[in-house]
Short mmCIF file of all heavy atoms in Angstrom, two decimals:
data_model
loop_
_atom_site.label_atom_id
_atom_site.label_comp_id
_atom_site.label_asym_id
_atom_site.label_seq_id
_atom_site.Cartn_x
_atom_site.Cartn_y
_atom_site.Cartn_z
N GLU V 188 -204.47 108.02 12.73
CA GLU V 188 -204.04 107.58 14.08
C GLU V 188 -202.52 107.45 14.11
O GLU V 188 -201.92 106.91 13.20
CB GLU V 188 -204.69 106.25 14.43
CG GLU V 188 -204.66 105.94 15.91
CD GLU V 188 -205.56 104.76 16.25
OE1 GLU V 188 -206.57 104.56 15.57
OE2 GLU V 188 -205.22 104.06 17.20
N GLN V 189 -201.94 107.97 15.16
CA GLN V 189 -200.48 107.99 15.28
C GLN V 189 -200.06 107.08 16.43
O GLN V 189 -200.88 106.67 17.23
CB GLN V 189 -200.02 109.41 15.57
CG GLN V 189 -200.66 110.44 14.66
CD GLN V 189 -200.22 111.84 14.96
OE1 GLN V 189 -199.49 112.44 14.20
NE2 GLN V 189 -200.64 112.37 16.08
N SER V 190 -198.76 106.81 16.52
CA SER V 190 -198.30 105.99 17.63
C SER V 190 -198.39 106.81 18.92
O SER V 190 -198.34 108.04 18.91
CB SER V 190 -196.89 105.50 17.39
OG SER V 190 -196.00 106.58 17.33
N LEU V 191 -198.54 106.09 20.01
CA LEU V 191 -198.70 106.72 21.32
C LEU V 191 -197.37 107.13 21.91
O LEU V 191 -196.41 106.37 21.88
CB LEU V 191 -199.33 105.73 22.29
CG LEU V 191 -200.83 105.76 22.54
CD1 LEU V 191 -201.14 104.76 23.66
CD2 LEU V 191 -201.31 107.14 22.92
N LEU V 192 -197.32 108.32 22.44
CA LEU V 192 -196.14 108.76 23.19
C LEU V 192 -195.97 107.84 24.40
O LEU V 192 -196.94 107.56 25.11
CB LEU V 192 -196.33 110.21 23.63
CG LEU V 192 -195.18 110.84 24.39
CD1 LEU V 192 -193.97 111.05 23.49
CD2 LEU V 192 -195.61 112.17 25.01
N GLN V 193 -194.76 107.38 24.62
CA GLN V 193 -194.47 106.52 25.79
C GLN V 193 -193.74 107.35 26.85
O GLN V 193 -192.95 108.22 26.51
CB GLN V 193 -193.58 105.35 25.37
CG GLN V 193 -194.18 104.47 24.28
CD GLN V 193 -195.48 103.83 24.70
OE1 GLN V 193 -195.59 103.28 25.79
NE2 GLN V 193 -196.49 103.91 23.84
N GLU V 194 -194.03 107.06 28.10
CA GLU V 194 -193.38 107.81 29.18
C GLU V 194 -191.86 107.69 29.12
O GLU V 194 -191.14 108.54 29.62
CB GLU V 194 -193.89 107.34 30.54
CG GLU V 194 -195.34 107.72 30.78
CD GLU V 194 -195.85 107.30 32.15
OE1 GLU V 194 -195.08 106.70 32.92
OE2 GLU V 194 -197.04 107.57 32.43
N SER V 195 -191.39 106.61 28.52
CA SER V 195 -189.95 106.38 28.43
C SER V 195 -189.30 107.14 27.28
O SER V 195 -188.07 107.18 27.18
CB SER V 195 -189.69 104.89 28.28
OG SER V 195 -190.40 104.39 27.16
N ASP V 196 -190.10 107.75 26.40
CA ASP V 196 -189.53 108.52 25.29
C ASP V 196 -188.84 109.77 25.83
O ASP V 196 -189.31 110.39 26.80
CB ASP V 196 -190.64 108.95 24.31
CG ASP V 196 -191.25 107.77 23.56
OD1 ASP V 196 -190.63 106.69 23.55
OD2 ASP V 196 -192.34 107.94 22.99
N ASP V 197 -187.75 110.15 25.18
CA ASP V 197 -186.97 111.30 25.64
C ASP V 197 -187.83 112.55 25.79
O ASP V 197 -187.73 113.28 26.78
CB ASP V 197 -185.82 111.60 24.67
CG ASP V 197 -184.70 110.59 24.79
OD1 ASP V 197 -184.66 109.86 25.81
OD2 ASP V 197 -183.87 110.52 23.87
N GLU V 198 -188.69 112.82 24.78
CA GLU V 198 -189.48 114.05 24.84
C GLU V 198 -190.54 113.98 25.94
O GLU V 198 -190.96 115.01 26.47
CB GLU V 198 -190.10 114.36 23.47
CG GLU V 198 -191.15 113.38 22.99
CD GLU V 198 -190.58 112.29 22.09
OE1 GLU V 198 -189.55 111.69 22.43
OE2 GLU V 198 -191.20 112.02 21.03
N ALA V 199 -190.96 112.79 26.30
CA ALA V 199 -191.90 112.63 27.40
C ALA V 199 -191.21 112.89 28.74
O ALA V 199 -191.72 113.59 29.61
CB ALA V 199 -192.51 111.23 27.39
N LYS V 200 -190.02 112.34 28.87
CA LYS V 200 -189.25 112.55 30.10
C LYS V 200 -188.95 114.03 30.30
O LYS V 200 -189.02 114.55 31.41
CB LYS V 200 -187.94 111.77 30.06
CG LYS V 200 -188.11 110.27 30.23
CD LYS V 200 -186.74 109.63 30.28
CE LYS V 200 -186.79 108.14 30.29
NZ LYS V 200 -185.51 107.56 29.86
N ALA V 201 -188.60 114.70 29.20
CA ALA V 201 -188.22 116.11 29.28
C ALA V 201 -189.37 116.99 29.75
O ALA V 201 -189.14 118.06 30.32
CB ALA V 201 -187.72 116.60 27.92
N THR V 202 -190.60 116.55 29.52
CA THR V 202 -191.75 117.37 29.88
C THR V 202 -192.56 116.77 31.03
O THR V 202 -193.62 117.28 31.37
CB THR V 202 -192.70 117.53 28.67
OG1 THR V 202 -193.04 116.24 28.20
CG2 THR V 202 -192.04 118.33 27.56
N GLY V 203 -192.06 115.69 31.61
CA GLY V 203 -192.78 115.07 32.71
C GLY V 203 -194.11 114.47 32.29
O GLY V 203 -195.06 114.42 33.08
N TYR V 204 -194.20 114.02 31.04
CA TYR V 204 -195.46 113.44 30.58
C TYR V 204 -195.80 112.17 31.35
O TYR V 204 -194.95 111.30 31.55
CB TYR V 204 -195.38 113.11 29.08
CG TYR V 204 -196.56 112.32 28.57
CD1 TYR V 204 -197.78 112.94 28.36
CD2 TYR V 204 -196.44 110.95 28.33
CE1 TYR V 204 -198.88 112.21 27.91
CE2 TYR V 204 -197.54 110.22 27.88
CZ TYR V 204 -198.75 110.85 27.67
OH TYR V 204 -199.82 110.12 27.23
N HIS V 205 -197.04 112.10 31.78
CA HIS V 205 -197.59 110.90 32.42
C HIS V 205 -198.81 110.47 31.63
O HIS V 205 -199.65 111.31 31.29
CB HIS V 205 -198.04 111.21 33.86
CG HIS V 205 -196.92 111.44 34.82
ND1 HIS V 205 -196.01 112.46 34.71
CD2 HIS V 205 -196.57 110.76 35.95
CE1 HIS V 205 -195.16 112.40 35.71
NE2 HIS V 205 -195.46 111.38 36.48
N ALA V 206 -198.93 109.19 31.36
CA ALA V 206 -200.09 108.69 30.62
C ALA V 206 -201.36 108.78 31.46
O ALA V 206 -202.47 108.77 30.93
CB ALA V 206 -199.85 107.25 30.17
N ASP V 207 -201.18 108.87 32.78
CA ASP V 207 -202.31 108.96 33.71
C ASP V 207 -202.00 110.09 34.70
O ASP V 207 -201.13 109.94 35.57
CB ASP V 207 -202.47 107.63 34.44
CG ASP V 207 -203.61 107.64 35.44
OD1 ASP V 207 -204.20 108.71 35.69
OD2 ASP V 207 -203.91 106.56 36.00
N ALA V 208 -202.73 111.19 34.55
CA ALA V 208 -202.45 112.38 35.37
C ALA V 208 -202.57 112.10 36.87
O ALA V 208 -201.90 112.75 37.68
CB ALA V 208 -203.39 113.51 34.98
N THR V 209 -203.39 111.12 37.24
CA THR V 209 -203.58 110.87 38.67
C THR V 209 -202.32 110.29 39.32
O THR V 209 -202.23 110.22 40.54
CB THR V 209 -204.78 109.93 38.94
OG1 THR V 209 -204.50 108.64 38.38
CG2 THR V 209 -206.05 110.50 38.34
N ARG V 210 -201.35 109.88 38.50
CA ARG V 210 -200.11 109.32 39.04
C ARG V 210 -199.00 110.37 39.15
O ARG V 210 -197.87 110.04 39.51
CB ARG V 210 -199.64 108.14 38.19
CG ARG V 210 -200.52 106.90 38.35
CD ARG V 210 -199.89 105.65 37.74
NE ARG V 210 -199.71 105.75 36.29
CZ ARG V 210 -198.56 106.07 35.71
NH1 ARG V 210 -197.48 106.28 36.42
NH2 ARG V 210 -198.52 106.15 34.40
N VAL V 211 -199.30 111.63 38.82
CA VAL V 211 -198.28 112.66 38.90
C VAL V 211 -197.91 112.92 40.36
O VAL V 211 -198.79 113.09 41.21
CB VAL V 211 -198.76 113.98 38.23
CG1 VAL V 211 -197.75 115.09 38.44
CG2 VAL V 211 -199.03 113.76 36.74
N ASN V 212 -196.62 112.94 40.63
CA ASN V 212 -196.12 113.19 41.98
C ASN V 212 -196.01 114.71 42.17
O ASN V 212 -195.18 115.37 41.56
CB ASN V 212 -194.74 112.52 42.11
CG ASN V 212 -194.12 112.74 43.47
OD1 ASN V 212 -194.41 113.71 44.15
ND2 ASN V 212 -193.26 111.82 43.86
N LYS V 213 -196.86 115.24 43.02
CA LYS V 213 -196.96 116.68 43.23
C LYS V 213 -195.64 117.28 43.77
O LYS V 213 -195.33 118.45 43.55
CB LYS V 213 -198.09 116.88 44.23
CG LYS V 213 -198.79 118.15 44.38
CD LYS V 213 -199.59 118.88 43.45
CE LYS V 213 -199.91 120.27 44.00
NZ LYS V 213 -199.35 121.38 43.28
N ALA V 214 -194.88 116.47 44.47
CA ALA V 214 -193.60 116.97 44.99
C ALA V 214 -192.60 117.16 43.85
O ALA V 214 -191.82 118.12 43.84
CB ALA V 214 -193.05 115.99 46.02
N ARG V 215 -192.65 116.28 42.89
CA ARG V 215 -191.72 116.37 41.75
C ARG V 215 -192.20 117.38 40.71
O ARG V 215 -191.41 117.96 39.98
CB ARG V 215 -191.60 115.00 41.08
CG ARG V 215 -190.40 114.21 41.49
CD ARG V 215 -190.22 112.99 40.58
NE ARG V 215 -189.48 113.31 39.36
CZ ARG V 215 -189.52 112.57 38.25
NH1 ARG V 215 -190.27 111.49 38.20
NH2 ARG V 215 -188.81 112.90 37.20
N PHE V 216 -193.52 117.54 40.64
CA PHE V 216 -194.10 118.44 39.63
C PHE V 216 -195.04 119.42 40.33
O PHE V 216 -196.27 119.27 40.29
CB PHE V 216 -194.85 117.63 38.56
CG PHE V 216 -193.96 116.66 37.83
CD1 PHE V 216 -193.91 115.33 38.20
CD2 PHE V 216 -193.13 117.09 36.79
CE1 PHE V 216 -193.07 114.43 37.54
CE2 PHE V 216 -192.28 116.20 36.14
CZ PHE V 216 -192.25 114.87 36.52
N PRO V 217 -194.46 120.43 40.97
CA PRO V 217 -195.26 121.33 41.80
C PRO V 217 -196.31 122.14 41.04
O PRO V 217 -197.24 122.65 41.66
CB PRO V 217 -194.23 122.26 42.45
CG PRO V 217 -192.91 121.93 41.87
CD PRO V 217 -193.02 120.71 41.03
N THR V 218 -196.17 122.26 39.72
CA THR V 218 -197.17 123.04 38.98
C THR V 218 -198.43 122.23 38.70
O THR V 218 -199.43 122.79 38.26
CB THR V 218 -196.60 123.53 37.63
OG1 THR V 218 -196.26 122.41 36.81
CG2 THR V 218 -195.38 124.43 37.82
N TYR V 219 -198.36 120.92 38.94
CA TYR V 219 -199.53 120.08 38.67
C TYR V 219 -200.68 120.42 39.62
O TYR V 219 -200.49 120.48 40.83
CB TYR V 219 -199.17 118.60 38.81
CG TYR V 219 -200.36 117.69 38.75
CD1 TYR V 219 -201.09 117.54 37.59
CD2 TYR V 219 -200.78 116.98 39.89
CE1 TYR V 219 -202.20 116.70 37.54
CE2 TYR V 219 -201.88 116.15 39.86
CZ TYR V 219 -202.59 116.01 38.68
OH TYR V 219 -203.69 115.19 38.64
N VAL V 220 -201.84 120.63 39.05
CA VAL V 220 -203.05 120.83 39.83
C VAL V 220 -204.01 119.70 39.50
O VAL V 220 -204.32 119.48 38.32
CB VAL V 220 -203.72 122.19 39.49
CG1 VAL V 220 -205.02 122.35 40.26
CG2 VAL V 220 -202.77 123.34 39.77
N PRO V 221 -204.45 118.94 40.51
CA PRO V 221 -205.38 117.85 40.24
C PRO V 221 -206.57 118.34 39.41
O PRO V 221 -207.12 119.42 39.66
CB PRO V 221 -205.82 117.40 41.63
CG PRO V 221 -204.65 117.74 42.51
CD PRO V 221 -204.09 119.02 41.94
N GLY V 222 -206.92 117.57 38.43
CA GLY V 222 -208.00 117.97 37.52
C GLY V 222 -207.45 118.35 36.15
O GLY V 222 -208.16 118.27 35.15
N GLN V 223 -206.19 118.79 36.12
CA GLN V 223 -205.56 119.08 34.83
C GLN V 223 -205.27 117.77 34.10
O GLN V 223 -204.69 116.86 34.69
CB GLN V 223 -204.23 119.82 35.02
CG GLN V 223 -204.36 121.21 35.57
CD GLN V 223 -203.01 121.88 35.80
OE1 GLN V 223 -201.96 121.23 35.78
NE2 GLN V 223 -203.04 123.17 36.06
N THR V 224 -205.70 117.70 32.84
CA THR V 224 -205.39 116.54 32.00
C THR V 224 -205.15 117.04 30.58
O THR V 224 -205.49 118.19 30.25
CB THR V 224 -206.56 115.53 31.94
OG1 THR V 224 -207.69 116.16 31.34
CG2 THR V 224 -206.92 114.98 33.32
N CYS V 225 -204.62 116.17 29.76
CA CYS V 225 -204.46 116.52 28.34
C CYS V 225 -205.82 116.92 27.76
O CYS V 225 -205.90 117.87 26.96
CB CYS V 225 -203.87 115.35 27.58
SG CYS V 225 -202.16 114.99 28.05
N ALA V 226 -206.87 116.23 28.16
CA ALA V 226 -208.20 116.50 27.60
C ALA V 226 -208.64 117.94 27.83
O ALA V 226 -209.40 118.49 27.03
CB ALA V 226 -209.22 115.54 28.19
N ASN V 227 -208.16 118.58 28.90
CA ASN V 227 -208.56 119.97 29.13
C ASN V 227 -207.37 120.93 28.99
O ASN V 227 -207.39 122.03 29.54
CB ASN V 227 -209.31 120.14 30.46
CG ASN V 227 -208.48 119.73 31.68
OD1 ASN V 227 -207.28 119.90 31.71
ND2 ASN V 227 -209.15 119.21 32.70
N CYS V 228 -206.38 120.52 28.22
CA CYS V 228 -205.22 121.38 27.90
C CYS V 228 -205.45 122.02 26.54
O CYS V 228 -205.97 121.39 25.62
CB CYS V 228 -203.96 120.52 27.87
SG CYS V 228 -202.51 121.34 27.20
N LYS V 229 -205.04 123.26 26.43
CA LYS V 229 -205.24 123.99 25.18
C LYS V 229 -204.52 123.35 24.00
O LYS V 229 -204.92 123.52 22.84
CB LYS V 229 -204.75 125.43 25.37
CG LYS V 229 -205.06 126.34 24.21
CD LYS V 229 -204.59 127.75 24.50
CE LYS V 229 -204.84 128.63 23.28
NZ LYS V 229 -204.38 130.00 23.52
N LEU V 230 -203.45 122.61 24.25
CA LEU V 230 -202.64 122.06 23.17
C LEU V 230 -203.14 120.69 22.68
O LEU V 230 -202.59 120.12 21.75
CB LEU V 230 -201.18 121.93 23.62
CG LEU V 230 -200.52 123.24 24.07
CD1 LEU V 230 -199.04 123.02 24.34
CD2 LEU V 230 -200.71 124.34 23.04
N TYR V 231 -204.20 120.19 23.32
CA TYR V 231 -204.72 118.87 22.97
C TYR V 231 -205.68 118.95 21.79
O TYR V 231 -206.48 119.86 21.70
CB TYR V 231 -205.44 118.27 24.18
CG TYR V 231 -205.90 116.85 23.98
CD1 TYR V 231 -204.99 115.81 23.87
CD2 TYR V 231 -207.25 116.54 23.94
CE1 TYR V 231 -205.40 114.49 23.70
CE2 TYR V 231 -207.69 115.23 23.77
CZ TYR V 231 -206.76 114.22 23.65
OH TYR V 231 -207.18 112.92 23.49
N ALA V 232 -205.58 117.97 20.90
CA ALA V 232 -206.47 117.87 19.74
C ALA V 232 -207.21 116.55 19.81
O ALA V 232 -206.65 115.50 19.45
CB ALA V 232 -205.66 117.96 18.45
N PRO V 233 -208.44 116.54 20.32
CA PRO V 233 -209.17 115.29 20.48
C PRO V 233 -209.37 114.58 19.15
O PRO V 233 -209.45 115.22 18.10
CB PRO V 233 -210.51 115.70 21.07
CG PRO V 233 -210.52 117.18 21.20
CD PRO V 233 -209.21 117.72 20.71
N ASP V 234 -209.45 113.26 19.22
CA ASP V 234 -209.68 112.43 18.04
C ASP V 234 -211.01 111.72 18.28
O ASP V 234 -211.05 110.58 18.73
CB ASP V 234 -208.52 111.44 17.89
CG ASP V 234 -208.64 110.61 16.62
OD1 ASP V 234 -209.58 110.83 15.84
OD2 ASP V 234 -207.80 109.71 16.43
N GLY V 235 -212.10 112.44 18.03
CA GLY V 235 -213.42 111.88 18.30
C GLY V 235 -213.55 111.49 19.76
O GLY V 235 -213.18 112.26 20.64
N ASP V 236 -214.06 110.30 20.00
CA ASP V 236 -214.24 109.82 21.37
C ASP V 236 -213.08 108.93 21.81
O ASP V 236 -213.16 108.27 22.84
CB ASP V 236 -215.54 109.02 21.48
CG ASP V 236 -216.76 109.91 21.39
OD1 ASP V 236 -216.61 111.12 21.72
OD2 ASP V 236 -217.83 109.43 21.00
N LYS V 237 -212.00 108.92 21.05
CA LYS V 237 -210.89 108.03 21.37
C LYS V 237 -210.20 108.46 22.67
O LYS V 237 -210.20 109.63 23.02
CB LYS V 237 -209.88 108.02 20.23
CG LYS V 237 -210.44 107.35 18.99
CD LYS V 237 -209.35 107.00 18.01
CE LYS V 237 -209.97 106.36 16.78
NZ LYS V 237 -209.54 107.01 15.55
N PRO V 238 -209.59 107.50 23.37
CA PRO V 238 -208.93 107.81 24.65
C PRO V 238 -207.61 108.56 24.48
O PRO V 238 -207.02 108.99 25.47
CB PRO V 238 -208.70 106.43 25.29
CG PRO V 238 -208.71 105.48 24.14
CD PRO V 238 -209.62 106.06 23.08
N SER V 239 -207.17 108.73 23.24
CA SER V 239 -205.93 109.48 23.01
C SER V 239 -206.15 110.42 21.83
O SER V 239 -207.08 110.24 21.04
CB SER V 239 -204.77 108.53 22.73
OG SER V 239 -205.04 107.75 21.57
N GLY V 240 -205.29 111.42 21.74
CA GLY V 240 -205.41 112.38 20.65
C GLY V 240 -204.10 113.10 20.44
O GLY V 240 -203.09 112.77 21.07
N GLY V 241 -204.11 114.07 19.57
CA GLY V 241 -202.88 114.78 19.25
C GLY V 241 -202.53 115.83 20.28
O GLY V 241 -203.35 116.26 21.08
N CYS V 242 -201.28 116.23 20.28
CA CYS V 242 -200.80 117.31 21.14
C CYS V 242 -199.86 118.17 20.29
O CYS V 242 -198.99 117.64 19.61
CB CYS V 242 -200.05 116.76 22.34
SG CYS V 242 -199.13 118.05 23.21
N ALA V 243 -200.07 119.48 20.35
CA ALA V 243 -199.26 120.40 19.55
C ALA V 243 -197.77 120.31 19.90
O ALA V 243 -196.92 120.66 19.09
CB ALA V 243 -199.76 121.82 19.74
N LEU V 244 -197.48 119.83 21.10
CA LEU V 244 -196.09 119.72 21.54
C LEU V 244 -195.37 118.52 20.94
O LEU V 244 -194.16 118.55 20.74
CB LEU V 244 -196.05 119.51 23.05
CG LEU V 244 -195.72 120.64 23.99
CD1 LEU V 244 -195.32 120.05 25.33
CD2 LEU V 244 -194.64 121.54 23.46
N PHE V 245 -196.12 117.46 20.72
CA PHE V 245 -195.51 116.19 20.30
C PHE V 245 -195.95 115.83 18.90
O PHE V 245 -196.91 115.08 18.70
CB PHE V 245 -195.87 115.08 21.29
CG PHE V 245 -195.44 115.38 22.70
CD1 PHE V 245 -196.37 115.63 23.68
CD2 PHE V 245 -194.08 115.43 23.03
CE1 PHE V 245 -195.97 115.92 24.98
CE2 PHE V 245 -193.68 115.72 24.32
CZ PHE V 245 -194.62 115.97 25.29
N TYR V 246 -195.29 116.37 17.94
CA TYR V 246 -195.65 116.13 16.55
C TYR V 246 -195.47 114.66 16.20
O TYR V 246 -194.42 114.06 16.48
CB TYR V 246 -194.79 116.99 15.63
CG TYR V 246 -195.14 116.80 14.18
CD1 TYR V 246 -196.29 117.38 13.66
CD2 TYR V 246 -194.36 116.02 13.36
CE1 TYR V 246 -196.65 117.18 12.34
CE2 TYR V 246 -194.69 115.81 12.04
CZ TYR V 246 -195.84 116.40 11.53
OH TYR V 246 -196.18 116.19 10.23
N GLY V 247 -196.51 114.07 15.61
CA GLY V 247 -196.41 112.70 15.15
C GLY V 247 -196.71 111.65 16.19
O GLY V 247 -196.66 110.46 15.90
N LYS V 248 -197.00 112.08 17.43
CA LYS V 248 -197.33 111.11 18.49
C LYS V 248 -198.61 111.55 19.18
O LYS V 248 -198.87 112.74 19.33
CB LYS V 248 -196.21 111.05 19.53
CG LYS V 248 -194.88 110.57 18.96
CD LYS V 248 -194.49 109.23 19.54
CE LYS V 248 -193.22 108.69 18.93
NZ LYS V 248 -192.06 108.89 19.80
N ASP V 249 -199.40 110.56 19.59
CA ASP V 249 -200.61 110.85 20.35
C ASP V 249 -200.32 110.77 21.85
O ASP V 249 -199.41 110.06 22.28
CB ASP V 249 -201.71 109.84 20.01
CG ASP V 249 -202.41 110.18 18.69
OD1 ASP V 249 -202.17 111.29 18.16
OD2 ASP V 249 -203.18 109.34 18.22
N VAL V 250 -201.13 111.48 22.60
CA VAL V 250 -201.03 111.43 24.06
C VAL V 250 -202.37 110.97 24.61
O VAL V 250 -203.40 111.08 23.94
CB VAL V 250 -200.64 112.81 24.65
CG1 VAL V 250 -199.26 113.22 24.16
CG2 VAL V 250 -201.67 113.89 24.31
N MET V 251 -202.36 110.48 25.82
CA MET V 251 -203.60 110.01 26.44
C MET V 251 -204.43 111.21 26.93
O MET V 251 -203.89 112.13 27.55
CB MET V 251 -203.30 109.10 27.64
CG MET V 251 -202.59 107.80 27.26
SD MET V 251 -203.55 106.78 26.12
CE MET V 251 -204.90 106.25 27.18
N ALA V 252 -205.74 111.15 26.68
CA ALA V 252 -206.63 112.23 27.14
C ALA V 252 -206.53 112.40 28.65
O ALA V 252 -206.62 113.51 29.17
CB ALA V 252 -208.07 111.92 26.74
N LYS V 253 -206.29 111.29 29.36
CA LYS V 253 -206.21 111.36 30.82
C LYS V 253 -204.78 111.62 31.30
O LYS V 253 -204.50 111.55 32.49
CB LYS V 253 -206.75 110.08 31.45
CG LYS V 253 -205.93 108.85 31.13
CD LYS V 253 -206.48 107.61 31.83
CE LYS V 253 -205.54 106.44 31.62
NZ LYS V 253 -205.95 105.22 32.28
N GLY V 254 -203.88 111.92 30.34
CA GLY V 254 -202.48 112.18 30.70
C GLY V 254 -202.24 113.61 31.14
O GLY V 254 -203.19 114.40 31.30
N TRP V 255 -200.98 113.94 31.31
CA TRP V 255 -200.59 115.30 31.73
C TRP V 255 -199.09 115.46 31.49
O TRP V 255 -198.34 114.48 31.53
CB TRP V 255 -200.86 115.48 33.23
CG TRP V 255 -200.51 116.84 33.77
CD1 TRP V 255 -201.32 117.96 33.81
CD2 TRP V 255 -199.28 117.26 34.37
NE1 TRP V 255 -200.64 119.01 34.37
CE2 TRP V 255 -199.39 118.61 34.74
CE3 TRP V 255 -198.06 116.60 34.63
CZ2 TRP V 255 -198.36 119.33 35.34
CZ3 TRP V 255 -197.04 117.32 35.24
CH2 TRP V 255 -197.19 118.67 35.60
N CYS V 256 -198.69 116.70 31.22
CA CYS V 256 -197.27 117.04 31.26
C CYS V 256 -197.13 118.45 31.79
O CYS V 256 -198.13 119.18 31.89
CB CYS V 256 -196.61 116.89 29.88
SG CYS V 256 -196.71 118.36 28.83
N LYS V 257 -195.90 118.85 32.12
CA LYS V 257 -195.74 120.14 32.79
C LYS V 257 -195.90 121.33 31.85
O LYS V 257 -195.87 122.47 32.30
CB LYS V 257 -194.43 120.20 33.57
CG LYS V 257 -193.19 120.10 32.74
CD LYS V 257 -191.96 120.03 33.66
CE LYS V 257 -190.70 119.96 32.83
NZ LYS V 257 -189.50 119.74 33.66
N ALA V 258 -196.11 121.06 30.57
CA ALA V 258 -196.39 122.15 29.63
C ALA V 258 -197.89 122.43 29.53
O ALA V 258 -198.32 123.22 28.68
CB ALA V 258 -195.83 121.81 28.25
N TRP V 259 -198.67 121.81 30.38
CA TRP V 259 -200.13 122.00 30.35
C TRP V 259 -200.48 123.48 30.22
O TRP V 259 -199.92 124.32 30.94
CB TRP V 259 -200.77 121.42 31.62
CG TRP V 259 -202.28 121.45 31.61
CD1 TRP V 259 -203.11 120.49 31.14
CD2 TRP V 259 -203.13 122.49 32.11
NE1 TRP V 259 -204.43 120.87 31.31
CE2 TRP V 259 -204.46 122.09 31.91
CE3 TRP V 259 -202.89 123.74 32.72
CZ2 TRP V 259 -205.56 122.88 32.28
CZ3 TRP V 259 -203.97 124.53 33.08
CH2 TRP V 259 -205.29 124.10 32.86
N VAL V 260 -201.41 123.79 29.29
CA VAL V 260 -201.82 125.18 29.05
C VAL V 260 -203.32 125.31 29.28
O VAL V 260 -204.11 124.53 28.73
CB VAL V 260 -201.49 125.62 27.60
CG1 VAL V 260 -201.94 127.06 27.37
CG2 VAL V 260 -200.00 125.49 27.32
N LYS V 261 -203.66 126.30 30.07
CA LYS V 261 -205.07 126.58 30.33
C LYS V 261 -205.78 126.97 29.04
O LYS V 261 -205.28 127.81 28.29
CB LYS V 261 -205.14 127.72 31.34
CG LYS V 261 -206.48 127.98 31.92
CD LYS V 261 -206.39 129.18 32.86
CE LYS V 261 -207.77 129.75 33.01
NZ LYS V 261 -208.30 129.77 34.31
N PRO V 262 -206.94 126.38 28.76
CA PRO V 262 -207.67 126.75 27.55
C PRO V 262 -208.16 128.20 27.64
O PRO V 262 -208.32 128.73 28.74
CB PRO V 262 -208.85 125.79 27.51
CG PRO V 262 -208.60 124.77 28.57
CD PRO V 262 -207.64 125.36 29.54
N ASP V 263 -208.45 128.82 26.51
CA ASP V 263 -208.94 130.21 26.48
C ASP V 263 -210.31 130.30 27.16
O ASP V 263 -211.10 129.38 27.08
CB ASP V 263 -209.08 130.68 25.03
CG ASP V 263 -207.70 130.79 24.37
OD1 ASP V 263 -206.73 131.11 25.09
OD2 ASP V 263 -207.62 130.55 23.15
FE1 LIG B 49 -201.02 116.84 27.45
FE2 LIG B 49 -201.10 119.46 27.14
FE3 LIG B 49 -198.84 118.26 27.88
FE4 LIG B 49 -199.76 117.97 25.43
S1 LIG B 49 -199.05 119.89 26.37
S2 LIG B 49 -198.96 116.33 26.75
S3 LIG B 49 -201.96 117.93 25.74
S4 LIG B 49 -200.76 118.37 29.06
#
């Protein structure tokens, strides 16, 4: 288990990471499509049933399954 990425972290700000995707402002992040979350992003690595897991973008930090950032990648 790793420490959680915080929205105030530089790398989170740079990618528009939100711990809760439902709070993403569509005007500020036009690529956001409701329904997209870390849990259904190709870069997410679930940690069992935990509410957070790994992300290939953020080495050493966990992200919230219900989060989102603008690097969201459609799964194969
Ligand atoms: Fe979440 Fe995907 Fe962004 Fe990682 S790349 S923070 S899993 S949306």
Side-chain angles (χ1 to χ4, degrees):
E188 198 168 330
Q189 313 179 109
S190 64
L191 263 186
L192 182 69
Q193 302 299 314
E194 291 182 359
S195 55
D196 292 344
D197 286 344
E198 67 266 47
K200 287 184 186 159
T202 55
Y204 171 76
H205 288 62
D207 179 353
T209 64
R210 289 192 296 99
V211 174
N212 179 334
K213 200 63 190 115
R215 262 191 85 200
F216 300 98
T218 62
Y219 171 67
V220 177
Q223 292 177 347
T224 63
C225 293
N227 60 34
C228 169
K229 187 178 176 180
L230 302 186
Y231 186 68
D234 184 3
D236 289 335
K237 292 195 181 128
S239 60
C242 167
L244 258 198
F245 302 111
Y246 181 76
K248 297 247 176 102
D249 280 350
V250 297
M251 296 300 291
K253 65 177 187 178
W255 181 88
C256 87
K257 63 186 181 186
W259 185 89
V260 179
K261 191 182 158 120
D263 293 328

